[in-house]
Amino acid sequence: MATETTTTELTDGFHLVVDALKLNGIDTIYGLVGIPITDLARLWQAEGGRFIGFRHEQHAGNAAAIAGYLTQKPGICLTVSAPGFLNGLTALANATTNCFPMILISGSSEREIVDLQQGDYEEMDQLNAARPYAKAAYRVLHAEDIGIGVARAIRAAVSGRPGGVYLDLPAKLLAQAIDAERGRQSLVKVVDPAPRQIPAADAVARALDVLKGAKRPLILLGKGAAYAQADAAIRALVEKSGIPYLPMSMAKGLLPDDHAQSASAARSYVLAEADVVMLVGARLNWLLSHGKGKTWGAPVPKRFIQVDIAPTEIDSNVAIAAPVIGDIGSCVEALVAGIGAGFPKPDAQWLGAIAERKAKNAAKMAETLAKDPVPMNFHSALRAIRDVLAPRPDIYVVNEGANTLDFARSIIDMREPRKRLDSGTWGIMGIGMGFAIGASVTTGKQVVAIEGDSAFGFSGMEVETICRYNLPVCIVVFNNNGVYRGTDVNPTGGKDVAPTVFVKGARYDRMMEAFGGIGRNAATPAELTAALNEAIASGRPTLINAVIDEAAGTESGRIGNLNPQSAAKKK
């Protein structure tokens, strides 16, 4: 008698991870393959997803983080276990600190071996290592829980204050097979992952009352305001109130930098003299001297209004007179609605004093930029870049370095939101190539990365990645032969160079040429202008080695006060 057999359709962890991400609108993964996630990357590509492979996991993580910032969807970084995970963890921690939604997915060793410390391949307790540096961290042990694990990671990354999330996938999980229909039913499509959080009416009224009582009000915009994509509402708040505003570096372009109410050119004055400051998506951290001290005109009394989605941020450094808690779009819309025809305008004397200082500082900057020293310095080189970028506001600008960052921030104006991407809250180096690749892949737009030579060194090998994917990225390396400058000497007269000095006359442009891109050497502003125009016109991977006077630059840029020096040196 014949026996009838039934074949059950199966799926596995590899397919379920791919299906869960695709179900939730994820189309790109940044990462670096190896054991145990190589087949996951292959399957992702085979199923129509885009996989951007890097030379180092930290830069893949930075690309994923900036993609999250630009799209409000979590960028995905995929790494191998242990050392690969640790490389990605640096980017995850930076994403959490900067409130960029990102998910780091790493393969890992088997739990039973890790817990007994039996010496597995790349054995490491990655979940507990990630927890202090992530907004949330999860481990999935069973294939039927992959859908829930991905859903929880997505919601954690984008809801409330965004941040980095770690998702641990042990190797055994990826190969687990389950019934295909059961697998399909286990997937979760996240509904409203970042719901609006409406501010309380009494909080809005209180903030408006504080603002009405101000004689010298100031609106301070942070990158949280840029992330919110509430551009029209923020512009309405500024223009309807008539209050001068000051953007933090990644908030530049929310309103054009040449807007009449911009107080950027009078930054020190407005911070010290304002009597009421409204923070919108900005934190009173070290970048704002914690809201204390001479920067803020101490002991001049000052009142703060703070618009933020996280109530725990309120009173973190100084007392906040009027907290407004909710998503920035909803909060700003409520504030705009409360600014009626009778709302008091800022004092004319206050506006006049700001305008006077802006004009004075702008004239001083124009005089500096008009100089044409040989060799180039930071100002003359940045003037050339500024003039090329000015008629092209849609270009993304990535910026890092010490002096390169400081000067570019004040010289190159932004006219569109979320077009300036830089070192952010930690002020770290090494974000350059990851951010440039992430911005280019996400938007398809031209990217110009303005890099100090030291900063470029952290991620320079990713020029191969830029060439491999033929991305429209132009890198300008400000080459002054060292960290800060190239003039330091070894005090012993020994054969080793000073700690801050690089190879003299290095040709970074030839690195790009080695991988098939375009390399240019520029020793004058005219050469830099021509090379940058050519790069933008071609849309091809390009690196311009901009030769800067090696004596140009100061120790630690504008934050030299944070760099302790020996008492003997000070004497």
Side-chain angles (χ1 to χ4, degrees):
M1 181 176 179
T3 303
E4 188 175 315
T5 60
T6 302
T7 302
T8 302
E9 182 186 1
L10 298 176
T11 189
D12 59 23
F14 288 106
H15 287 82
L16 289 170
V17 172
V18 170
D19 292 345
L21 292 173
K22 289 178 65 180
L23 180 64
N24 284 286
I26 304 298
D27 56 18
T28 303
I29 291 176
Y30 304 88
L32 202 162
V33 298
I35 296 172
I37 51 88
T38 305
D39 277 351
L40 180 57
R42 289 183 177 130
L43 180 63
W44 175 256
Q45 191 176 64
E47 293 291 325
R50 194 171 189 194
F51 184 85
I52 307 297
F54 281 70
R55 304 301 292 264
H56 193 283
E57 293 91 349
Q58 180 177 327
H59 314 313
N62 284 330
I66 210 63
Y69 169 74
L70 292 172
T71 64
Q72 297 183 321
K73 296 195 305 184
I76 308 297
C77 177
L78 181 64
T79 81
V80 301
S81 50
F85 154 78
L86 286 173
N87 289 340
L89 184 59
T90 301
L92 184 72
N94 191 52
T96 302
T97 299
N98 281 281
C99 306
F100 298 156
M102 168 196 169
I103 301 173
L104 174 63
I105 300 176
S106 295
S108 65
S109 297
E110 307 309 337
R111 291 303 316 150
E112 59 271 26
I113 300 177
V114 171
D115 290 347
L116 281 173
Q117 299 181 19
Q118 293 179 314
D120 199 8
Y121 171 74
E122 294 187 350
E123 174 186 302
M124 186 179 187
D125 188 353
Q126 295 170 200
L127 183 72
N128 285 315
R131 277 184 170 138
Y133 307 106
K135 182 181 176 186
Y138 307 107
R139 176 183 290 127
V140 182
L141 294 176
H142 304 289
E144 59 266 31
D145 292 330
I146 287 173
I148 286 291
V150 169
R152 293 205 69 189
I154 290 172
R155 191 174 293 278
V158 299
S159 62
R161 172 166 285 178
V165 176
Y166 176 60
L167 190 61
D168 190 273
L169 304 181
K172 188 184 293 185
L173 168 78
L174 296 171
Q176 275 184 28
I178 64 171
D179 177 77
E181 180 57 29
R182 181 180 164 203
R184 279 189 287 271
Q185 292 177 2
S186 72
L187 299 179
V188 176
K189 182 174 176 59
V190 181
V191 177
D192 196 13
R196 295 185 70 184
Q197 296 186 31
I198 310 301
D202 60 337
V204 173
R206 180 171 51 234
L208 290 171
D209 283 344
V210 171
L211 210 54
K212 287 177 184 176
K215 294 189 179 300
R216 301 183 303 279
L218 175 70
I219 295 173
L220 202 156
L221 303 173
K223 69 175 174 293
Y227 173 81
Q229 299 190 17
D231 308 336
I234 289 170
R235 183 165 193 147
L237 174 65
V238 170
E239 294 182 341
K240 194 173 181 181
S241 69
I243 297 172
Y245 74 94
L246 181 66
M248 300 299 287
S249 62
M250 282 182 63
K252 283 165 64 70
L254 267 171
L255 290 87
D257 279 341
D258 56 3
H259 192 282
Q261 288 172 248
S262 172
S264 290
R267 184 181 193 274
S268 297
Y269 176 74
V270 295
L271 289 179
E273 297 298 327
D275 61 352
V276 170
V277 179
M278 176 185 284
L279 303 163
V280 182
R283 292 175 282 184
L284 289 172
N285 54 25
W286 72 277
L287 291 163
L288 288 168
S289 302
H290 309 286
K292 306 171 185 176
K294 289 189 295 184
T295 297
W296 293 91
V300 176
K302 203 175 300 286
R303 304 185 78 194
F304 289 95
I305 302 164
Q306 186 164 7
V307 178
D308 203 289
I309 201 166
T312 52
E313 185 60 34
I314 307 304
D315 306 323
S316 59
N317 275 296
V318 297
I320 302 298
V324 183
I325 306 302
D327 70 273
I328 286 172
S330 297
C331 291
V332 172
E333 287 171 5
L335 289 165
V336 171
I339 300 175
F343 197 86
K345 295 294 183 183
D347 184 78
Q349 188 175 355
W350 169 236
L351 299 181
I354 295 172
E356 180 182 342
R357 281 160 177 80
K358 283 172 59 177
K360 180 180 178 181
N361 291 336
K364 185 177 179 180
M365 177 63 81
E367 182 181 347
T368 301
L369 293 176
K371 297 175 182 177
D372 199 11
V374 179
M376 290 189 293
N377 61 16
F378 289 97
H379 287 90
S380 59
L382 285 165
R383 180 196 69 216
I385 296 174
R386 178 202 66 180
D387 292 347
V388 172
L389 296 182
R392 301 173 170 101
D394 60 330
I395 289 177
Y396 285 82
V397 174
V398 173
N399 188 203
E400 63 174 338
N403 297 277
T404 309
L405 175 72
D406 291 336
F407 290 124
R409 183 170 50 213
S410 57
I411 292 171
I412 296 178
D413 285 343
M414 308 306 297
R415 293 175 176 82
E416 294 184 3
R418 293 169 295 281
K419 291 298 196 295
R420 178 180 169 82
L421 313 172
D422 64 29
S423 301
T425 303
W426 266 349
I428 61 167
M429 302 301 106
I431 52 86
M433 298 304 97
F435 278 17
I437 293 168
S440 179
V441 168
T442 300
T443 69
K445 298 281 189 178
Q446 175 73 48
V447 176
V448 173
I450 305 170
E451 302 276 310
D453 51 358
S454 176
F456 175 70
F458 284 83
S459 60
M461 191 61 193
E462 300 302 342
V463 297
E464 188 274 334
T465 306
I466 293 169
C467 289
R468 194 181 343 139
Y469 294 98
N470 194 31
L471 300 175
V473 173
C474 176
I475 306 156
V476 184
V477 177
F478 278 40
N479 183 2
N480 66 346
N481 297 332
V483 182
Y484 311 132
R485 55 184 174 266
T487 54
D488 287 0
V489 295
N490 183 334
T492 70
K495 65 178 181 179
D496 292 337
V497 299
T500 58
V501 173
F502 297 152
V503 170
K504 303 286 187 181
R507 291 292 300 272
Y508 294 102
D509 50 309
R510 291 176 179 169
M511 288 180 62
M512 185 65 88
E513 291 175 350
F515 299 109
I518 298 171
R520 292 289 181 265
N521 190 64
T524 67
E527 291 175 354
L528 179 51
T529 297
L532 185 53
N533 275 320
E534 177 190 339
I536 294 169
S538 73
R540 291 189 57 201
T542 303
L543 192 152
I544 303 170
N545 183 61
V547 181
I548 304 296
D549 183 355
E550 71 171 359
T554 59
E555 187 91 359
S556 302
R558 291 181 185 168
I559 56 172
N561 62 302
L562 300 179
N563 187 25
Q565 297 181 8
S566 71
K569 182 176 179 180
K570 292 176 182 177
K571 290 177 181 177

